[in-house]
Amino acid sequence: MLTFFGRRSAFQEEQNSAFFTVGDMLVLIDCPMSSFHLIREAGPDRLTGGKTGRIYVLVTHTHGDHISGIPMLIHYCYYILHLPVTVAAPSGEVRNDLLFYFDRLEGCHPDGYSLVTAKDPALPDEDPMKTVILDVIPTKHSPELDGRCFGYHLSISGRSVIYTGDTGTLEPFLPYLNPEGGDELYTEISINRSPVHLCLTDVLDQLKHISRRGTRVYLMHMDDEAAILDAVRDTGILPALLYQSVSHKEEPTMEKESEIMLSDIFAVSEGLYAQMSRTDQGDHDEIFAHLTDLGKILAEADRASFWKWDKDSHTLWTTAATGTDRITIPDTTGLVGKALALGKVVITNDPYNDPDFNSAVDKNTGYVTKSILVMPVANIKGEYIGAYQVINKLGGDGCFHEEEDCRKLSLAAVICGLALESDVFLAESHTDKLTKLKNRMGFFADFRKSYDQVISDPARKLSLFICDIDKFKSVNDTYGHNAGDEVLKNVARIMQKNTEATDGIYRWGGEEFIMIMVDADMEKAAAKAESIRKEIEGAVCECFGYTIRHTMSFGVTEFDPEKNIEENISVADAKLYTAKESGRNRVII
């Protein structure tokens, strides 16, 4: 996540700007004079948690409350710190403006900085910002700067981040938001209405919807912070995380460092509490993301991830690996797999010489891993169910130490263990134990989380079919209930084999199944049903010495948004009844 030097609007003491790190590089998003003073006070090495190798500045537009500190930063880095500074302009026109500002007005030494255009194809491949800056997003702000104001779509430690800059509209940024959530939106907001800024009362409902969908919404550039935070209380919308400065007049004592860490912990805890208090969440992924942030702060690490252990499939997976999409690996691989196999903490402070370390991510992203700690996480029965991983110790000697760091990380690990146990219980309650498909409860949970959004979009279609095994009672009566169970499992396997990534398949109950197809009309859904019907008709189920053949009947419908879920299912069910009454082993549309 981004850390802000200030999240206030112009003419206030702490003006809006943020930073993050990429390896040993400090990346700033804008730099007003107030931020320059904080950077000089802290020293870049404190911000990167090690020896800073380079400073990179992303510019949104040229208002003074966003860029006034950049020339001073260039002077300071060139004459005092001897650090290279690269300034990235969002467009060629803004680049020309900045060149005039730095060269003709501020007299910055030409060897003291590089001025580039973000997303310029001419940037060298080794420039780490080529993988960080996913897109530059034009937006509308001040009429005087028409065509020269921008936001950014960034990949920060693998997490998708949308940063609006100053804007009078959210519309340009909405296409970059993941409809499934898991990303971060940093948006400016104001209490007072103006033609150049977003007014809270105008966009609050929209921000609540975005937050409920799973995007983490953070507020910045606030003109009345107290009033805004009071208005978004208990919504899951949070103020951007604020950097806690250490005055240059005093040494950064242990007490002061602890005070800063405690403030960061409280900020994450506030978000965690708000998320856990929501009644509309369908899963716990957002909670795990907050817990991952908590562990990163407690262990003073640059990155963190929480891995869940699926013992049935022998895989480890995470959706909170510093904001990445879901990553799945075999449970016998990597340092996480090693920690779970040994049942103890694994630490390496020389990962590139550790045979269990997978360096592929570093090679693809340019990230440099220097130290790793993996702590197994257990449930209340003492069974290992996942693992916490933190990467690159900040400060000190840059190494993890088992006794000290495990003591710090244990709080987050215990909470994660309890949350994961609840998560496993939730998943099990949504899963049919026999076929391993989701059950009726899982169907309704998925509908609230995903399918409702499709139905509400008039440009998209949603279809389903309900089907059941013909004369299933005779299978049980003739071959026994164990054989009937094998037939059910065989049907589930065939249906799973025929599902696409956007399809959902559920055991509705007894011998009935439902399949949901996103962006599919009646014709496409019927073709899928017919394909499955033929495969089942031609398949045999070998079990207990018997060779069992069976067929299925299908009723297909396209969702009518004017009807509720139950009414649409009733339509498909009526067609299934027709299929049964007209001879079975057929698809009725």
Side-chain angles (χ1 to χ4, degrees), residues 56-73:
Y56 213 106
V57 187
L58 301 180
V59 174
T60 60
H61 63 292
T62 54
H63 275 160
D65 62 319
H66 289 262
I67 66 162
S68 58
I70 298 179
M72 289 298 293
L73 180 69

Side-chain angles (χ1 to χ4, degrees), residues 246-433:
V246 179
S247 172
H248 66 281
K249 296 180 181 179
E250 60 178 339
E251 290 296 318
T253 62
M254 185 178 295
E255 289 78 13
K256 193 68 178 178
E257 295 284 353
S258 297
E259 181 182 327
I260 294 168
M261 177 183 284
L262 193 60
S263 176
D264 290 343
I265 291 170
F266 285 156
V268 174
S269 299
E270 182 182 9
L272 180 62
Y273 177 78
Q275 185 66 30
M276 293 181 72
S277 299
R278 283 169 49 176
T279 59
D280 60 340
Q281 60 185 14
D283 54 44
H284 296 157
D285 285 350
E286 194 71 7
I287 291 174
F288 284 116
H290 283 293
L291 288 170
T292 302
D293 288 339
L294 178 62
K296 183 172 71 171
I297 292 168
L298 289 168
E300 298 173 272
D302 180 52
R303 292 186 175 189
S305 55
F306 184 64
W307 293 81
K308 306 172 189 181
W309 191 6
D310 187 337
K311 297 180 182 179
D312 290 335
S313 63
H314 300 289
T315 57
L316 296 160
W317 61 277
T318 179
T319 54
T322 59
T324 62
D325 294 330
R326 177 166 171 158
I327 299 173
T328 302
I329 61 173
D331 62 4
T332 56
T333 61
L335 293 168
V336 176
K338 180 179 180 180
L340 288 169
L342 296 175
K344 66 178 185 180
V345 172
V346 168
I347 292 176
T348 177
N349 292 308
D350 186 16
Y352 292 113
N353 288 315
D354 190 315
D356 294 303
F357 173 66
N358 182 357
S359 61
V361 174
D362 286 13
K363 290 176 182 177
N364 291 334
T365 65
Y367 188 79
V368 178
T369 301
K370 302 173 183 176
S371 53
I372 301 174
L373 182 151
V374 182
M375 173 185 283
V377 172
N379 60 19
I380 58 175
K381 298 177 184 178
E383 301 165 339
Y384 290 120
I385 54 178
Y388 226 117
Q389 177 177 258
V390 286
I391 298 175
N392 284 0
K393 177 75 172 182
L394 302 177
D397 59 4
C399 297
F400 288 110
H401 301 279
E402 183 168 348
E403 182 176 353
E404 175 187 354
D405 290 305
C406 287
R407 181 168 56 87
K408 292 178 180 177
L409 192 57
S410 59
L411 171 63
V414 166
I415 300 173
C416 253
L418 295 172
L420 179 55
E421 195 159 24
S422 171
D423 200 50
V424 170
F425 177 78
L426 178 67
E428 288 179 347
S429 71
H430 289 177
T431 303
D432 173 54
K433 289 182 171 56

Side-chain angles (χ1 to χ4, degrees), residues 191-206:
I191 281 289
N192 298 301
R193 181 172 279 105
S194 79
V196 297
H197 290 291
L198 290 172
C199 180
L200 180 66
T201 54
D202 294 338
V203 297
L204 181 56
D205 287 342
Q206 188 175 27

